[in-house]
Amino acid sequence: MFSRRDWVDLAWSMTYYLRYFCCYIPFYGLFGSIVLISFVRFLESHWFVWVTQMNHIPMDIDHEKHQDWLTMQLNATCNIEQSFFNDWFSGHLNFQIEHHLFPTMPRHNYCHVAPLVRAVCEKHGIPYQVKNLWQGFSDVVGSLRESGDLWLDAYLHK
């Protein structure tokens, strides 16, 4: 059922927890270490959801429009305004347009490419969307509200 490689991968990934608990149990005890890692994972997962979703919701994505690749990428995402805080908070993923266009580029270079991408978009009349951080968060909340309303309608037959 499991190959030798699967067991090697599992053993390798478990070394993270071994190292973690060896470092933190002396300071926080077993229970405190479990609480700490659970809290960090909780914060990390919520941060990831907010950062990734604020650049993608609500975007007009439709495969039937037969648009070119660049236009489809720009319709599927937007940027969050650049600032020291936004760059730090999002890990430079506030440049989501550039991330979609150049996924292998190191994130700290997106701010250097953004003006070039914006100029190409202006030249070809393609919308280059930028919103502020609060608008991004507001879009996530609005999308959750819309999804909740759809769920209520589907399952409670309002």
Side-chain angles (χ1 to χ4, degrees), residues 16-31:
Y16 167 79
Y17 293 102
L18 178 66
R19 288 177 284 135
Y20 172 83
F21 285 116
C22 285
C23 289
Y24 288 102
I25 284 177
F27 297 107
Y28 302 114
L30 179 62
F31 180 74

Side-chain angles (χ1 to χ4, degrees), residues 7 13-14 16 26 37 48 55 60 72 74 127 136 150 154:
W7 288 110
S13 65
M14 293 307 292
Y16 167 79
I37 197 168
F48 180 77
N55 299 25
D60 181 28
M72 282 184 60
L74 287 157
L150 290 171

Side-chain angles (χ1 to χ4, degrees), residues 13-133:
S13 65
M14 293 307 292
T15 64
Y16 167 79
Y17 293 102
L18 178 66
R19 288 177 284 135
Y20 172 83
F21 285 116
C22 285
C23 289
Y24 288 102
I25 284 177
F27 297 107
Y28 302 114
L30 179 62
F31 180 74
S33 298
I34 291 171
V35 168
L36 178 62
I37 197 168
S38 299
F39 180 69
V40 168
R41 296 288 185 204
F42 172 81
L43 289 178
E44 181 182 59
S45 63
H46 283 75
W47 168 85
F48 180 77
V49 168
W50 284 97
V51 166
T52 57
Q53 295 308 302
M54 70 182 176
N55 299 25
H56 292 88
I57 297 175
M59 306 310 283
D60 181 28
I61 303 170
D62 187 356
H63 297 289
E64 299 301 318
K65 291 184 179 179
H66 302 289
Q67 296 173 327
D68 61 278
W69 182 80
L70 176 65
T71 304
M72 282 184 60
Q73 297 307 309
L74 287 157
N75 285 338
T77 189
C78 68
N79 284 354
I80 301 297
E81 289 178 341
Q82 182 184 14
S83 72
F84 178 78
F85 177 79
N86 290 351
D87 290 350
W88 169 80
F89 180 74
S90 68
H92 293 277
L93 289 177
N94 50 327
F95 293 99
Q96 199 62 209
I97 291 172
E98 289 71 24
H99 174 66
H100 276 228
L101 297 176
F102 310 105
T104 59
M105 178 183 286
R107 291 178 290 179
H108 64 276
N109 290 328
Y110 291 151
C111 61
H112 304 297
V113 174
L116 302 172
V117 173
R118 183 176 275 210
V120 168
C121 291
E122 287 175 6
K123 178 180 176 183
H124 296 285
I126 302 169
Y128 183 93
Q129 298 181 55
V130 179
K131 51 185 158 182
N132 65 44
L133 186 66

